[in-house]
């Protein structure tokens, strides 16, 4: 998971979360490749990355029971915890349901029907990925203060997270063998019956995976729920941390939140089960013919227009309004430029460190299928199951106890970004290395190159485009991260995200608008470059 308003407002983190495990890797190109021992230096570097990723879980284990298990139990076994649990689960359930409706319907309309301008609608359907949840919440609450609370949080989170369902479902629809649907219709099934009996079962894995990402995103969100003033676990953890010198209550609540995410992942895997829907033959070579909409054309266009208006046009218009009403007191070009520069700097450092740490893990996962590679890859994914607020607490604990000179210094914040977003870079690196021919590495070895020489001269250059794409995506999510940045940023330093959060917290919407606009504009550039080939 990611940090809530961070990890999730971004170009879709789905490939990293759902990247296949080592056991799913393709068969080696030559006998014995899987059994070859990985270089010791590669193992050491991958182990260092995995150790960093595991720090939040180690912190929780130590901190939560530091004053005894009974104390920790007394913290969580309260009516307040049950209330937070009900609020968080209820919010996630509503948002997931709404995202499934939006994502599946839009995917069907843009992929399988003769919807006028469906290519443009498919682009508009993915644009909310560039909008952080706290920016969407700011746009709506500044225009409609009455939305504060559950309804506003659910509405804002739905609008920024439904693409996590739309993208995998649209991809699944493009890959379905239409011969099965044609056979069903030939047997007398109508369009709705064919969709329910044939198409929908094949979409279930994609929809379930997207729904899981939405649920994890909602549970870990901090920005939208804070701006909408709706109390969930993440907001309660932040309040507990700020209100007391005793960090045990915050750690104990974080343990509950992590357990919730683990249960969600397990439930999704159990629901998906072992059912498969892959065709056994080559299938039809021709794409599905777009279904005519007939009298449903205008309602379909109205539905797509409403979603685009709520998710894209309204936030953009709101920001434009607040920018227009701003004056010399709210506009601070020098401060905006300085904050933007700091944001670019910390995001670039975070992306660089994360990519460097991911490289040995991704290479091991792609080229060596032993137990060590499997464990190291799984450990690298640990940070993805921990909310950003918890990672921030872990880094504070580490610095105060063992490295106090790093407390509230830039290296600690950059390290937190690496923990949070290492799975994104690992997934991109592993996929890129798998796509490069291993025979070229064998040739380099036969010419006398050592393991590091092969890595530097062959593996990395071949996989460079994929690694660069992972670095670009990591840069975007680092730039939008909020909760860990609030806890770890050096004193007096602000990013666009923290500055926006500060201004909205005092109701200074005109002052917050420039930071929101610049954040979206910067994030949109790499997001567009990453996603332009999808449509």
């Amino acid at each position: 998971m990611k940090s809530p308003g961070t990890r999730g407002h971004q170009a879709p983190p789905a490939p990293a979360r759902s990247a296949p495990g080592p056991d799913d890797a393709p068969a080696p190109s030559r006998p014995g490749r899987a059994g070859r021992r990985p270089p010791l230096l590669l193992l050491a570097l991958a182990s260092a990355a995995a150790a960093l990723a595991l720090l939040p879980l180690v912190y929780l284990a130590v901190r939560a029971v530091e004053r005894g298990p009974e104390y920790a139990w007394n913290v969580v076994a309260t009516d307040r915890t049950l209330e937070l649990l009900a609020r968080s689960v209820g919010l996630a359930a509503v948002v997931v349901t709404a995202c499934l409706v939006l994502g599946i319907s839009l995917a069907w309309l843009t992929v399988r029907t003769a919807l006028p301008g469906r290519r443009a609608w498919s682009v508009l359907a993915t644009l909310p990925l560039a909008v952080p949840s706290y920016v969407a919440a700011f746009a709506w609450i500044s225009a409609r203060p009455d939305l504060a609370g559950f309804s506003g949080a659910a509405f804002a989170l739905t609008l920024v997270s439904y693409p996590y369902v739309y993208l995998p479902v649209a991809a699944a629809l493009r890959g379905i063998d239409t011969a099965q649907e044609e056979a069903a219709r030939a047997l007398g099934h109508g369009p709705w019956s064919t969709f329910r009996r044939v198409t929908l079962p094949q979409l279930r894995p994609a929809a379930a995976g997207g729904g899981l990402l939405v649920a994890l995103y909602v549970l870990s969100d901090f920005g939208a729920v804070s701006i909408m003033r709706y109390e969930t676990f993440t907001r309660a953890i932040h309040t507990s941390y700020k209100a007391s010198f005793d960090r045990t209550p915050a750690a104990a609540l974080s343990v509950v939140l992590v357990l919730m995410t683990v249960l969600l992942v397990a439930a999704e895997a159990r629901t998906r089960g072992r059912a498969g829907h892959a065709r056994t033959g080559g299938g039809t070579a021709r794409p599905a013919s777009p279904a005519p909409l007939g009298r449903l054309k205008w309602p379909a266009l109205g539905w797509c227009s409403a979603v685009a208006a709520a998710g894209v046009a309204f936030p953009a218009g709101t920001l434009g309004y607040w920018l227009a009403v701003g004056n010399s007191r709210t506009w601070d070009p020098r401060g905006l430029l300085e904050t933007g520069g700091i944001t670019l700097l910390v995001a670039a450092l975070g992306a660089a460190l994360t990519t460097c740490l991911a490289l040995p893990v991704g290479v091991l996962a792609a080229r060596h299928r032993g137990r060590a590679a499997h464990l190291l890859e799984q450990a690298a994914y640990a940070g993805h199951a921990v909310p950003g607020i918890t990672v921030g607490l872990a880094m504070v604990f580490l610095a105060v106890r063992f490295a106090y000179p790093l407390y509230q210094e830039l290296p600690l914040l950059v390290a937190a970004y690496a923990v949070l977003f290492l799975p994104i870079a690992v997934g991109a690196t592993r996929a890129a290395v798998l796509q490069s021919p291993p025979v070229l590495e064998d040739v380099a070895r036969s010419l006398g190159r050592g393991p590091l020489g092969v890595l530097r001269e062959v593996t990395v250059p071949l996989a460079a485009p994929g690694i660069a794409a992972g670095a670009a995506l990591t840069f975007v999510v680092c730039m939008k991260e909020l909760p860990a940045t609030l806890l770890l940023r050096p004193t007096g330093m602000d990013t666009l995200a923290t500055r926006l959060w500060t201004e909205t917290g005092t109701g200074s919407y005109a002052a917050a608008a420039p930071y929101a606009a610049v954040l979206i504009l910067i994030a949109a550039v790499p997001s567009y470059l990453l996603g332009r080939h999808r449509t």
Side-chain angles (χ1 to χ4, degrees), residues 209-387:
L212 173 64
L213 290 181
V214 172
L216 295 177
Y217 179 77
V218 173
L219 288 178
S220 62
D221 180 80
F222 172 76
V225 295
S226 295
I227 291 176
M228 287 294 181
R229 297 187 290 278
Y230 182 71
E231 195 78 359
T232 60
F233 265 108
T234 51
R235 195 178 181 204
I237 291 168
H238 185 265
T239 302
S240 175
Y241 170 78
K242 289 293 188 180
S244 172
F245 288 105
D246 184 6
R247 309 303 188 205
T248 301
L253 290 175
S254 296
V255 170
V256 178
L257 186 56
V258 170
L259 289 176
M260 289 170 61
T261 64
V262 171
L263 289 175
L264 268 177
V265 173
E268 189 274 338
R270 186 177 181 85
T271 300
R272 181 170 13 103
R274 297 181 177 273
H277 300 283
R279 62 194 183 208
T280 57
T284 181
R286 61 181 178 82
S289 300
L293 289 172
R295 290 179 297 177
L296 294 178
K297 181 179 75 171
W298 294 111
L301 286 172
W303 174 246
C304 293
S305 300
V307 176
V312 179
F314 185 84
T318 302
L319 289 181
Y321 168 78
W322 287 113
L323 289 172
V325 301
N327 52 43
S328 59
R329 291 178 298 174
T330 58
W331 273 92
D332 181 12
R334 183 176 179 180
L336 184 63
L337 182 62
E338 179 182 354
T339 305
I342 291 173
T343 303
L344 292 174
L345 173 64
V346 296
L349 291 175
L353 176 62
T354 306
T355 303
C356 291
L357 291 173
L359 182 60
V361 181
V363 172
L364 278 177
R367 291 291 188 251
H368 303 276
R369 295 189 296 151
R371 182 180 299 274
H374 176 83
L375 292 176
L376 288 173
E377 185 186 15
Q378 296 305 312
Y381 278 75
H384 225 31
V386 183

Side-chain angles (χ1 to χ4, degrees), residues 137 139-141 143-156 228-229 314:
W140 281 96
I141 199 171
R144 293 283 306 276
D146 57 304
L147 279 177
F150 176 85
S151 58
F155 189 63
M228 287 294 181
R229 297 187 290 278
F314 185 84

Side-chain angles (χ1 to χ4, degrees), residues 159-218:
L159 291 176
V160 299
S161 54
Y162 79 82
Y164 291 118
V165 175
Y166 168 81
L167 286 171
V169 171
L173 281 170
R174 294 187 187 99
I176 288 178
D177 187 354
T178 56
Q180 300 177 33
E181 299 172 345
E182 292 171 355
R185 285 193 290 269
L187 293 173
H189 293 284
W192 171 245
S193 178
T194 299
F195 177 79
R196 181 172 57 87
R197 293 172 177 268
V198 179
T199 308
L200 192 58
Q202 297 183 75
L203 297 180
R204 190 179 69 175
L212 173 64
L213 290 181
V214 172
L216 295 177
Y217 179 77
V218 173

